[in-house]
Amino acid sequence: MKSEVATTYEGLADLLDGAPWDAPTLCSKWLVRHVVAHVTMPVRLTPETFGAEMAAAGGDFAVLSETVAARDASLPVADLLGQLRSPALHAWQPPGGGAEGARSHAVIHSLDVTIALDRPAVAPLEAMTAVLDVLVGAGGSLFGLDLTGLRFEATDAAWSWGDGRLVRAGSGPLVALLSGRTLPTGEALPRA
């Protein structure tokens, strides 16, 4: 049985085979190719090259991510698709994040692409609701959000959280909102 991470990345590769790679995503300033270059970084960077990249970025992971995404977005599409399908990517776990962090990374970034392209989610519904639990469990702090007075309800799963003004949507758009993204409709959650 495939892991949720493998299913998500393979589904994204299938969706993007022939899709517009220069289309915007929910990640501000990143096109589809930048998001894919970012999530496939673990396939290309060994621990040694990651350390060198981190040192060059002054120890700032956000700077490293931007640098690598900008540089590696120009790799051939076939290479990036192959990296999305790579067992090395499917087995990767972020330092300090473990399997839960790998699942969250795959789900959130796949939604950055699928929602922006108005395509169905490629992440399994169970993975999206698990990520919703992680995001609300942190009370919005992971992405600097203020969840006070809000109730979230998924329209495609038996999932809800909170009390107050209702925010009702599919699991994918809820994950995107709780990850600090602005939806194509302009909807976003308040910042803390």
Side-chain angles (χ1 to χ4, degrees):
M1 179 176 176
K2 277 190 219 174
S3 74
E4 293 170 335
V5 170
T7 298
T8 300
Y9 284 136
E10 288 178 6
L12 189 59
D14 292 345
L15 179 130
L16 291 176
D17 196 358
W21 281 69
D22 290 320
T25 67
L26 298 186
C27 290
S28 91
K29 300 185 283 180
W30 279 5
L31 304 175
V32 169
R33 63 180 58 256
H34 295 105
V35 171
V36 175
H38 169 73
V39 299
T40 56
M41 226 177 10
V43 177
R44 295 184 304 280
L45 299 183
T46 65
E48 294 77 25
T49 56
F50 178 82
E53 295 271 3
M54 224 17 204
D60 187 332
F61 184 75
V63 171
L64 177 143
S65 290
E66 289 288 337
T67 302
V68 171
R71 179 191 68 219
D72 293 354
S74 64
L75 290 170
V77 167
D79 290 358
L80 292 169
L81 287 172
Q83 291 168 15
L84 280 172
R85 293 183 172 107
S86 169
L89 178 63
H90 304 167
W92 173 80
Q93 295 183 1
E100 187 175 279
R103 176 179 54 209
S104 293
H105 195 248
V107 168
I108 292 168
H109 284 306
S110 73
L111 291 165
D112 286 332
V113 172
T114 59
I115 291 173
L117 294 179
D118 195 25
R119 303 283 177 87
V122 295
L125 184 59
E126 300 78 22
M128 289 189 288
T129 56
V131 172
L132 285 169
D133 287 337
V134 169
L135 293 170
V136 297
S141 64
L142 293 175
F143 293 95
L145 302 174
D146 181 4
L147 305 183
T148 307
L150 296 174
R151 175 171 176 75
F152 299 94
E153 289 183 5
T155 57
D156 55 357
W159 184 90
S160 64
W161 179 89
D163 294 304
R165 181 177 67 82
L166 180 62
V167 178
R168 195 165 191 266
S171 299
L174 288 179
V175 168
L177 286 169
L178 287 163
S179 299
R181 281 23 177 202
T182 300
L183 297 180
T185 59
E187 186 175 2
L189 295 178
R191 297 281 174 181

